[in-house]
Amino acid sequence: MDISINKDERIDDLDLKGLKIIQKEKAFRFGIDAVLLSDFANVKSKHRVIDLCTGTGIVPFLLYGKYNPKEVWGIEIQEEMEEMARRSSKLNGTEDIVKFKCADLKDKNLVKELGRFDVLTVNPPYKLNNSGIVNPNDKLAIARHEILCNLEDVIVAARRLLKDNGRMFIVHRPERLADIFSLMRKYNIEPKRVKMVQPNVNKEPNIVLVEGQRDGGAFLKWEKPLYVYDEEGNFSREIDEIYGRVK
């Protein structure tokens, strides 16, 4: 399909059922966090799924390619990124299933417009917006710092958008784990599963994946850690499996 591409953009192959994504050449592009989140999420073909802070739509496309859900929505506040995601969906011929909306996740009208969802995923800004030196108009800063939304905003939106007993999946930094747990319980989303990600066996975790259930009972499963690299410095077998490089 002939899709317009700006001179500062490129088309990347996701190596997943022929899916592609439009990204900026020298701006924010998806990384391992999005790939790990899509693998961690428990999505069924019957599910309606929503991805918050979707950026250019990487998580919705990965979820679609892996699980073929009934419907996937991506919510992004930055108009330029959301527009790129829409073009990617058109490029992939997935507009009827993988849909995007430029909106603020704090907008209470989202539920009225979109309904409720079985699964919610989110790769939110990680860094606290307390340095006083971040440019609030910087697109990269918005993606990385809690400028336009914070962790509590994300949890509140999840509470609002999930169906009863719906599941939330979030990727974040381990140093924010206490905040994640306390905010989830504050809004009656019970932490159910945790997975730490470490660069290798000798280094401390730098990514955490958490599953929560709306109005779920108290029971937390701590999964074995995921190592990105093996002792020889090569990608671990589990990472290769997640990326589809080995079966």
Side-chain angles (χ1 to χ4, degrees):
M1 184 178 292
D2 185 20
I3 301 296
S4 62
I5 301 296
N6 298 326
K7 63 181 180 180
D8 61 341
E9 296 174 349
R10 73 185 194 193
I11 297 175
D12 290 327
D13 194 327
L14 297 180
D15 294 320
L16 179 66
K17 297 183 179 178
L19 294 170
K20 297 176 173 60
I21 190 168
I22 300 169
Q23 301 192 95
K24 292 286 187 182
E25 286 277 4
K26 297 180 180 180
F28 184 82
R29 295 195 297 272
F30 79 87
I32 191 173
D33 296 15
V35 178
L36 295 178
L37 177 61
S38 67
D39 180 75
F40 185 71
N42 184 6
V43 176
K44 307 297 184 185
S45 60
K46 64 182 180 180
H47 284 163
R48 293 187 77 231
V49 184
I50 188 166
D51 181 56
L52 305 181
C53 308
T54 200
T56 55
I58 179 59
V59 173
F61 289 121
L62 291 175
L63 294 176
Y64 169 78
K66 287 173 178 285
Y67 309 113
N68 193 30
K70 180 179 178 181
E71 186 178 34
V72 188
W73 277 92
I75 303 300
E76 172 56 45
I77 197 169
Q78 297 191 72
E79 186 175 350
E80 183 180 9
M81 286 191 175
E82 188 266 352
E83 189 272 336
M84 290 170 66
R86 282 177 182 265
R87 281 189 283 132
S88 291
S89 196
K90 187 175 181 180
L91 176 68
N92 291 315
T94 58
E95 303 108 303
D96 292 340
I97 299 175
V98 184
K99 307 171 185 179
F100 296 95
K101 182 175 180 62
C102 185
D104 187 336
L105 59 81
K106 300 189 292 294
D107 184 358
K108 295 179 181 179
N109 290 322
L110 278 177
V111 175
K112 295 179 182 178
E113 295 178 28
L114 304 180
R116 298 186 186 273
F117 294 84
D118 303 284
V119 172
L120 180 146
T121 57
V122 61
N123 180 4
Y126 293 147
K127 298 182 180 180
L128 291 167
N129 187 33
N130 56 8
S131 65
I133 59 173
V134 177
N135 179 358
N137 297 315
D138 186 311
K139 295 179 177 62
L140 197 57
I142 289 171
R144 291 176 173 172
H145 294 257
E146 292 184 338
I147 295 172
L148 299 182
C149 73
N150 58 33
L151 183 57
E152 185 162 12
D153 295 328
V154 168
I155 303 296
V156 169
R159 173 71 194 181
R160 188 181 298 130
L161 289 162
L162 282 171
K163 294 179 179 178
D164 292 343
N165 296 310
R167 301 277 177 157
M168 172 187 185
F169 300 89
I170 184 172
V171 59
H172 218 291
R173 293 293 179 254
E175 59 267 26
R176 301 296 303 278
L177 190 55
D179 296 332
I180 293 170
F181 283 173
S182 62
L183 286 168
M184 278 186 167
R185 280 199 157 174
K186 179 179 178 180
Y187 294 101
N188 295 315
I189 297 176
E190 184 63 24
K192 303 295 288 185
R193 187 164 58 107
V194 179
K195 189 179 189 73
M196 289 292 188
V197 181
Q198 300 174 218
N200 59 49
V201 69
N202 296 312
K203 292 188 176 181
E204 63 187 26
N206 61 350
I207 297 172
V208 64
L209 296 152
V210 180
E211 175 184 350
Q213 183 180 20
R214 190 184 193 272
D215 296 320
F219 183 85
L220 180 64
K221 179 182 179 181
W222 202 280
E223 296 194 344
K224 66 178 182 179
L226 168 64
Y227 303 113
V228 177
Y229 298 100
D230 61 22
E231 295 179 358
E232 284 74 45
N234 302 310
F235 282 116
S236 67
R237 180 173 180 82
E238 190 171 0
I239 287 292
D240 280 338
E241 289 173 350
I242 290 171
Y243 273 84
R245 293 189 283 256
V246 297
K247 300 294 184 182

